[in-house]
Amino acid sequence: MDALAKNRSAVFTISKETQDANFQTVEVSAGLGFAVSTNGTVVADAVLVPDKGVYYVKNDSGKFKADFVSTDKAGFSFLKIGLPVNGTDKLTFTVPTFGDLSKMKIGQQILVLGSTVASSIFEGLNANKNINLNLIKGNEGGLGVGFRWRSYRHRTF
C-alpha cells in the first residue's frame, strides 16, 4: 500500500539492553516508534520505553544508538537518534505529515503500525480527543496511517 510505503522510513524498531538470568547483557525488543521531527526525535510507547537505559533504533538505513529524552503524561516516550552502531550507516528517514483528527470521517479505514500492522475503522474521538480503536495489545502508541496519506498519533484506553 502506498500509505505504508510512504511512511516506512519513519518507523523504527526499538531495542534495549537488559540483563538476562545469568547477568549477561542482552538486547531485547522494545517495540516500534516513529520519527516526529527532522532532528531525529522518535516517539514510542512509554510502557515499552519507560525510562533511561541503553536503547537502539533501526530502520532500513541502519542501526543507531538512541538517548532517552523524556516521557509525557499521555504515555509516550521520546528518544533522540544518535550515532550509528557500526560507525558507517547514514541515517535517513521521513517525518510523517500529521493530519487533523477533527477532519477524520467516521468509517474511514486506518492502518496502525505498532508491534504488528493492524487495520481498524475510525469510530470517532473519545472524551480525551483520542482515536478509539480496537487493537491487539502492543499496538498502543503506534503510528496510525489514514488512507488519505496523513498520519495520526493515537493511544488506546
Side-chain angles (χ1 to χ4, degrees):
M1 301 188 126
D2 289 338
L4 288 175
K6 182 176 180 181
N7 291 290
R8 180 181 173 123
S9 72
V11 178
F12 290 85
T13 58
I14 302 171
S15 58
K16 63 183 174 181
E17 287 185 0
T18 189
Q19 287 190 342
D20 66 11
N22 297 320
F23 301 102
Q24 299 295 313
T25 300
V26 295
E27 193 174 327
V28 297
S29 175
L32 294 177
F34 63 93
V36 291
S37 72
T38 57
N39 73 355
T41 300
V42 172
V43 66
D45 190 332
V47 171
L48 300 173
V49 180
D51 52 24
K52 292 188 185 271
V54 178
Y55 292 97
Y56 302 97
V57 295
K58 182 179 178 183
N59 71 358
D60 289 342
S61 68
K63 183 176 177 180
F64 303 85
K65 294 179 183 177
D67 295 318
F68 179 84
V69 177
S70 66
T71 298
D72 70 10
K73 292 179 183 179
F76 295 98
S77 288
F78 299 88
L79 299 171
K80 175 79 164 111
I81 302 172
L83 297 173
V85 171
N86 69 4
T88 61
D89 287 338
K90 301 290 183 202
L91 178 64
T92 58
F93 65 93
T94 58
V95 175
T97 303
F98 292 98
D100 182 348
L101 287 176
S102 67
K103 294 182 181 176
M104 294 267 308
K105 294 185 170 94
I106 292 176
Q108 182 177 340
Q109 190 169 13
I110 298 173
L111 293 177
V112 179
L113 308 175
S115 61
T116 63
V117 176
S119 177
S120 189
I121 302 297
F122 178 67
E123 296 176 2
L125 300 176
N126 65 21
N128 296 323
K129 304 280 188 202
N130 287 311
I131 300 173
N132 284 325
L133 296 175
N134 225 349
L135 295 174
I136 297 169
K137 195 162 187 76
N139 279 335
E140 302 99 331
L143 172 63
V145 180
F147 286 111
R148 295 186 181 252
W149 319 121
R150 299 284 187 225
S151 302
Y152 304 93
R153 179 178 90 163
H154 76 276
R155 181 82 179 161
T156 58
F157 295 99

